[in-house]
Amino acid sequence: MNQTIEVRVPATSANLGPGFDCLGLALDLFNTFRMTIGAPFAIEVTGESSERLPRGEENAVVQAMRCVFEDAEMPLDALPTFSLHLDNQIPVSSGLGSSASAIVGGIVLGNAVIQQVAPSRVRSLARLLELATEMEGHPDNVAPALFGGCILAFRDKIGLRTTPVPIPEGLRFVAATPDFALSTEEARKVLPAMYPRAEVIDNVAQCARLMLALSTDNLDLLRGGLVDHLHEPYRRPLVPGAQEVAAAAVDAGALAVTISGAGPTLLAWCQAESAVTIADEMTLAWLNAGIPCRALSLRPAQTITAARCLDTPT
């Protein structure tokens, strides 16, 4: 049997300022993962950082597929061989969810294989989210990568839960990515173990402000900047030029600027009519700091990530 299955996974911006480790947003920049079932094992990688990504069993997409197989108790000798073509458009180590994309792409592809050979063992979307969260460490990137849109993820007595957060129709996002990488591990190391009570209280207020602005379509509530005390003050020094680039975005009309995920990408929140100008000004500000930059005007990506067959089995 030879059948080609494709999955497109969106970039994501996690935290969204004060929503540390619980809020995330899918953006319309995609990695595309194509699997040919029945072909000899091989991995081809194109696009962003293609020369850096592994082409063996250690590849994150393959590891995520194996995770789903193990969860479904599928013996490897009962599974067909497959080849992969991975086209990366999301910059690696940029704060735009490249690793989450690989994990979500892998678990969705793995589930598609299970659908072919043992339909009764197919994992639910809720279970796929749990597996992706276990691999990634927290849900703020993998949840929007899997479900699309803006997602609030939290745990309670029921378990890991997600709920969509509305995004106003006129809201756009400029993702400005400087030409250097910042590992999530490095960005995590700078965070303190404890925070002053007043800062935590202010973060709660800021997150409530953000949710109210989005749910009521009142973008004026975003003006003045989204204040965060939990991660941005500690990560900003890791991103040379961040202050100047954020100021340039606000001067050009941005409602707020947040660090995307662990950085170094900065995410400007803006209205559609000012997005191009903001992208140009952010690029120029980083160039003035001696750092090349790519700035993209992006919409929220709203579609659930799913596998689709590109041809008929032969």
Side-chain angles (χ1 to χ4, degrees):
M1 178 180 71
N2 285 96
Q3 184 175 29
T4 301
I5 296 174
E6 182 179 273
V7 172
R8 295 176 76 235
V9 188
T12 51
S13 183
N15 304 320
L16 304 183
F20 183 52
D21 277 3
C22 63
L23 280 175
L25 170 70
L27 299 166
D28 65 343
L29 176 67
F30 296 88
N31 282 348
T32 302
F33 307 131
R34 187 172 294 173
M35 171 180 64
T36 301
I37 298 176
F41 179 77
I43 299 177
E44 180 186 6
V45 186
T46 57
E48 291 281 343
S49 303
S50 58
E51 71 288 347
R52 294 170 46 193
L53 298 176
R55 289 162 167 76
E57 297 283 345
E58 71 277 19
N59 185 281
V61 176
V62 177
Q63 291 297 309
M65 294 178 70
R66 300 291 191 218
C67 179
V68 177
F69 297 152
E70 291 175 8
D71 190 68
E73 298 182 344
M74 294 292 302
L76 294 182
D77 58 8
L79 295 167
T81 58
F82 59 87
S83 64
L84 293 172
H85 176 223
L86 314 178
D87 181 56
N88 293 311
Q89 297 304 312
I90 304 171
V92 174
S93 298
S94 66
L96 287 172
S98 175
S99 64
S101 172
I103 290 169
V104 169
I107 63 172
V108 172
L109 285 176
N111 215 33
V113 174
I114 296 171
Q115 176 68 55
Q116 295 286 336
V117 300
S120 63
R121 299 192 184 189
V122 167
R123 306 290 90 180
S124 67
L125 271 178
R127 183 57 188 158
L128 293 183
L129 176 62
E130 285 278 8
L131 295 174
T133 300
E134 289 172 11
M135 292 191 70
E136 178 77 347
H138 36 86
D140 53 346
N141 269 316
V142 293
L146 184 59
F147 296 124
C150 186
I151 299 291
L152 170 65
F154 57 93
R155 288 190 181 274
D156 59 13
K157 293 179 181 178
I158 296 175
L160 175 61
R161 302 175 66 188
T162 62
T163 187
V165 177
I167 295 290
E169 180 63 30
L171 192 58
R172 296 291 183 271
F173 300 89
V174 174
T177 305
D179 189 20
F180 61 85
L182 176 60
S183 73
T184 301
E185 182 181 1
E186 181 183 358
R188 284 263 166 186
K189 284 180 179 177
V190 300
L191 302 182
M194 300 182 68
Y195 299 89
R197 179 185 298 180
E199 292 183 357
V200 174
I201 291 171
D202 192 32
N203 248 72
V204 172
Q206 293 291 330
C207 199
R209 164 199 184 187
L210 170 59
M211 300 294 278
L212 186 62
L214 297 177
S215 62
T216 62
D217 200 359
N218 184 359
L219 297 183
D220 278 342
L221 274 174
L222 298 176
R223 294 191 187 278
L226 291 166
V227 178
D228 170 76
H229 299 284
L230 301 186
H231 70 106
E232 291 205 353
Y234 305 97
R235 289 172 168 170
R236 201 172 292 116
L238 302 177
V239 184
Q243 297 278 31
E244 293 79 6
V245 173
V250 172
D251 289 344
L255 301 164
V257 179
T258 53
I259 296 176
S260 186
T265 294
L266 297 185
L267 193 74
W269 303 51
C270 59
Q271 293 166 316
E273 59 269 20
S274 59
V276 172
T277 299
I278 291 169
D280 289 344
E281 291 301 318
M282 294 177 81
T283 300
L284 180 60
W286 242 316
L287 286 174
N288 287 338
I291 301 171
C293 161
R294 181 176 70 169
L296 300 174
S297 174
L298 301 171
R299 295 171 178 260
Q302 300 287 1
T303 307
I304 291 176
T305 296
R308 68 186 187 102
C309 294
L310 299 183
D311 51 20
T312 304
T314 59

